[in-house]
């Protein structure tokens, strides 16, 4: 993840970048994005090769999305989160937790809303 906060405007769409290196078999990964300290209420939970759960307040406005056109997406380890129709209450820390067959990692992306 980047070291600096991601800054975006109310109503816009943003990509919160997160990727794993080296890439692993994405179908064997659990990807959990959660906001602030809401681990048990994930913004988005990907497991067993598909999205399993999206928190109610993020439904219809979030997805896993490559951070750039050059990214190969999930198969290349890109687990970035796309958030649409940003609101002031979206501001804060987003946690990107990835667990695989033999590894686990967690990073935080800070989102600032202007």
């Amino acid at each position: 993840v980047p070291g600096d906060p991601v800054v975006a405007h109310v109503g816009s769409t943003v990509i919160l970048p997160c990727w794993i290196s080296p890439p692993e078999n994405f179908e064997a990964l659990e990807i959990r994005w959660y906001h602030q300290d809401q681990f048990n209420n994930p913004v988005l939970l990907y497991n067993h090769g598909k999205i399993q759960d999206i928190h109610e307040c993020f439904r219809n406005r979030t997805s896993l999305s490559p951070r750039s056109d050059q990214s190969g997406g999930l198969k290349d380890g890109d687990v970035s989160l796309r958030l649409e129709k940003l609101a002031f209450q979206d501001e804060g820390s987003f946690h990107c937790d990835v667990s695989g067959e033999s590894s686990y990692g967690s990073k935080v992306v800070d989102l600032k809303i202007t």
Side-chain angles (χ1 to χ4, degrees):
V1 299
D4 294 328
V6 174
V7 179
H9 298 287
V10 167
S12 68
T13 296
V14 70
I15 303 286
L16 300 179
C18 184
W19 58 94
I20 56 174
S21 182
E24 286 188 44
N25 173 9
F26 67 91
E27 290 187 353
L29 294 176
E30 177 183 288
I31 302 160
R32 178 184 300 262
W33 275 96
Y34 64 97
H35 191 222
Q36 311 289 46
D37 59 355
Q38 298 291 310
F39 182 86
N40 291 323
N41 293 310
V43 171
L44 183 144
L45 177 63
Y46 174 96
N47 203 354
H48 303 295
K50 64 182 183 184
I51 293 175
Q52 301 288 337
D53 189 24
I54 295 178
H55 191 281
E56 185 178 329
C57 69
F58 293 99
R59 205 157 284 149
N60 299 320
R61 61 187 196 102
T62 189
S63 61
L64 292 175
S65 180
R67 64 187 184 275
S68 72
D69 292 339
Q70 290 76 39
S71 169
L74 279 175
K75 69 181 183 320
D76 285 340
D78 190 341
V79 296
S80 299
L81 182 73
R82 176 186 177 98
L83 277 177
E84 300 175 1
K85 302 175 195 140
L86 290 174
F88 279 115
Q89 60 264 32
D90 294 334
E91 184 169 277
S93 299
F94 283 82
H95 300 256
C96 175
D97 282 12
V98 179
S99 52
E101 295 167 330
S102 61
S103 60
Y104 171 82
S106 181
K107 294 290 182 183
V108 176
V109 179
D110 288 315
L111 177 63
K112 302 283 185 207
I113 306 292
T114 59

